[in-house]
Structure formats: C-alpha cells, structure tokens
Amino acid sequence: MARAPRLTESAGAVFAVLAQAGTATRPQLASLARLSKPTVSSAVAELEGVHLAAHSGTSSGGTGRSAAVYRLGPAAGAVLAVDLGPALTRVRGCALDGTLLAEATGPRDEAADVVREALSALPADAPLRTIVVAVGDVTPPQRMRPATAKAGPVFDAVAVALPPGVPVHLENNVNCAALAELHEGAARGRHTFGYLRIGVGIGLGIVVGGQVLAGANGAAGELARLPYPWDDDQEPRHEALEEYIGSRSLLGRAAAAWPETDGACPRTAEQLFTLAGQGSATARAVVARHAVDVGRLAAAVTAVLDPGLLVLGGSTGAYPQLLPGVRAELERLSWPTEVVSSQVGDLGTVVGAARLAVARGVQTVTEAARKKD
C-alpha cells in the first residue's frame, strides 16, 4: 500500500472537503473548509504537487470571470467494499469522492475470485487506501486488521484475495445497509430511525442523530438475542427468535399449511410472495401471519427506541405486501411509528460499506496532515 504523503493541516482539510464535494473552485473550497482564500490557494498547490488534487476545467461566474475547478488527483487512491452475504458476494471499488470504479458479484463460495475481479478493474495507478468487509457477525468497535492477519472463517473467505498491508475494517452488514438507507434510500432526511432486516436472519440497524449506534460490544441491534419464547412453560433458546421469524421457518410454515389442491408448494420466499400477489389464499394467509410476527418484533423495537421511522428490508422484509399487516400490529401494540419498505434493496449492504470505506479512505490521507501553517 502506498503511504499517503505528509500534508499540512490546511491541505488535509481542503482534501477532505474536495473529496466530499467531488469538484470545487478555490472560493468554494475556502467556504466549505472555513479557511482564507490565500490559505486555500497554498493548500491546493500543495495537493497538486503530490497529485492529490488536479485541475478539472473552469467555471464561469455571474460577473463573467472564470475560476479554476479542481477534483481529486490520481494519487488520492481508491477503496474497496465487500459484502459477504449468505448467498452472494458483492464488491465495489470507489474513488475517494465516491465515484464507482469497479463492481463484481458472484456466489459466496467464490468470494475470493469476486474480490480479485473487482480489484483487477481498479485503476492500476490508484493506491488502495482501505477495505471494508461487511459480515453478518458482531463487529466490536474499531475492529481492524491488516489483510495478512489470521482471521476467522467468515473473513478467511476473502482474506486470500486482499492485497497485503491494506487496512481492513470488519463491519456489521445490517449497520451498513442502515447507512445506505440514511443517505440514499427510504430514510433520507431522517436523522433517527431503525432499519429492520428480515431474511434468513434478523437484525436491526439503529441510527441516532445521523450516526449508527454500535453499542459497547458492537452488538446493538442483535435482535436474534432477544429471549424467545417468553413463556411460563418454555425456556428461551439461543437465537430462537431468529429461527422462528427467519425465512427458513417461514417456508416451513408454508409447507405445513399447503394443500395439495394448490399445486407445488413454494420453495423460496420470492415464490411465496408471488403466489400471494396472484391471489393464492394459502400464500396470503402465510404472508399475513408473517406480517403479524414482524409487526410484533417492530413493536418491541419501538418500545425500546421510539425511532419514529422503521425501514423494513431483507430478503423477506422488503416485500411491500408485509406493510399493511406490520403497520396494523405495530399500531395495536405501540405508539405511532412510520413503517416503510427499503429503497436500496439487495445492494444496501455493499452501498453502505462503500460509503464507510470512502470515509475511512479519506481519513487515511487526512490523518497524515501535520500542522505547519
């Protein structure tokens, strides 16, 4: 990994705002960085000198005067985001201004090859600044490792394909998807909400004040650990709630209720929801019951967080057919809370992971700044 050059404090600040803006003139950079125009001019010259910024044309103002426009330079580098989903691996490579440079998708058991495909599509002269790998595990805060470090099975799937020496951050997949909803999906403009993922597993991304709440152990939102069943005659089991609400059990309930007269029993959640949409009474009943179960889980979340907004996502949770039943059960059990379907869908985790990777990539450059103004 190429080390970021040492920068003055002002150059680091200007680099950060230029990365966020994408392109900007020096007056715009001065306003965004809250620095004087002479300081910004010096900082831009410094960044150009080490190829972290580059001239990108001119912009005409209302007075007829033109101003130079700047963008990130080739030495700014790139980042990689990896979503190790239960079935698919999705990878995105981005520039530090968020521009998509490469992407690849493939089966989970071919994760290393998918990562290599994305890496090979990145510009050869762009140093790789950081890698974010989204996993379904609890990820304690500040969990980072070099790509050559010994890791667990969930990370080993891609570790062999990662370039040595590049910082690798492990992030919870649901938290990544919540970030995607915050910035690009159903929660845009909302600073506090919950992202409730229902699929093979269950999980909750908690956003408060525009920031994901990780918890002391990185385990905030691990709904699978809620005690279930909670009954005098039954002992709660480890992750039993996830087992009950997850898609495998949903399909099991469909199989148990499916009459031979209805034809072939659905084998996937997609088939089940399609049949419900086509009017199958059995499928509609199974989906309606699932909506009630998800609504009760939503009521538990609302009782603790009062988020004001819940975004439903995941391989089953994102189906709009669930919304009426979830809303009705939540209204019955708790106080008014808006419930909407995810807008980023299956790409949510890799989109959120890429956003985190970009932020950390910018940080690797700006943290090299040293005060000499």
Side-chain angles (χ1 to χ4, degrees):
M1 179 188 71
R3 289 187 176 276
R6 302 273 301 182
L7 299 173
T8 61
E9 186 178 18
S10 56
V14 169
F15 180 85
V17 297
L18 182 57
Q20 186 171 18
T23 59
T25 63
R26 279 179 289 185
Q28 290 171 334
L29 291 171
S31 175
L32 291 168
R34 298 183 179 181
L35 296 171
S36 69
K37 291 180 181 179
T39 299
V40 166
S41 294
S42 177
V44 168
E46 181 182 347
L47 293 172
E48 284 189 291
V50 292
H51 308 293
L52 289 174
H55 189 261
S56 182
T58 57
S59 173
S60 298
T63 61
R65 303 170 102 183
S66 60
V69 178
Y70 296 90
R71 57 175 171 78
L72 295 184
V79 297
L80 198 72
V82 181
D83 170 19
L84 286 177
L88 293 177
T89 296
R90 293 182 173 88
V91 184
R92 283 192 169 193
C94 296
L96 295 198
D97 62 1
T99 301
L100 181 64
L101 300 175
E103 60 182 337
T105 302
R108 171 65 180 268
D109 58 4
E110 298 176 11
D113 290 334
V114 178
V115 170
R116 292 188 185 101
E117 179 184 345
L119 284 171
S120 67
L122 292 177
D125 60 347
L128 192 60
R129 298 297 182 191
T130 194
I131 300 167
V132 168
V133 180
V135 297
D137 298 340
V138 172
T139 56
Q142 305 300 319
R143 187 172 176 183
M144 183 181 76
R145 65 178 80 235
T148 54
K150 188 176 181 180
V154 72
F155 182 69
D156 286 343
V158 294
V160 295
L162 301 180
V166 180
V168 179
H169 301 261
L170 301 186
E171 295 290 346
N172 178 265
N173 56 1
V174 178
N175 287 346
C176 288
L179 279 177
E181 295 291 350
L182 172 65
H183 293 286
E184 304 179 34
R188 279 175 293 185
R190 305 290 286 267
H191 298 293
T192 298
F193 70 97
Y195 169 76
L196 183 56
R197 173 174 283 183
I198 308 294
V200 175
I202 60 175
L204 177 69
I206 305 167
V207 176
V208 178
Q211 301 293 321
V212 172
L213 179 65
N217 298 297
E222 288 294 316
L223 299 179
R225 298 300 179 89
L226 285 174
Y228 179 86
W230 206 340
D231 187 275
D232 289 342
D233 300 324
Q234 298 184 66
E235 191 75 15
R237 302 188 314 277
H238 182 72
E239 298 186 348
L241 182 60
E242 180 173 79
E243 179 185 334
Y244 174 74
I245 294 185
S247 58
R248 292 188 183 94
S249 291
L250 170 64
L251 293 173
R253 286 190 287 275
W258 208 259
E260 292 184 4
T261 54
D262 280 9
C265 177
R267 295 184 177 275
T268 66
E270 182 180 8
Q271 292 174 356
L272 174 64
F273 280 88
T274 297
L275 288 169
Q278 293 172 349
S280 164
T282 305
R284 292 178 67 179
V286 173
V287 168
R289 175 65 210 192
H290 191 56
V292 170
D293 290 333
V294 174
R296 291 174 181 176
L297 182 58
V301 169
T302 301
V304 176
L305 296 178
D306 187 20
L309 170 68
L310 283 175
V311 179
L312 297 184
S315 58
T316 59
Y319 282 96
Q321 290 160 279
L322 289 177
L323 284 177
V326 173
R327 287 168 173 165
E329 189 69 1
L330 179 57
E331 182 179 5
R332 184 179 76 85
L333 295 173
S334 193
W335 39 83
T337 302
E338 185 180 359
V339 183
V340 299
S341 298
S342 166
Q343 291 183 0
V344 295
D346 294 340
L347 293 177
T349 295
V350 74
V351 167
R355 180 171 287 274
L356 283 173
V358 165
R360 292 203 166 100
V362 171
Q363 186 179 10
T364 64
V365 176
T366 58
E367 70 185 5
R370 55 187 171 88
K371 191 173 183 179
K372 64 177 186 183
D373 295 333

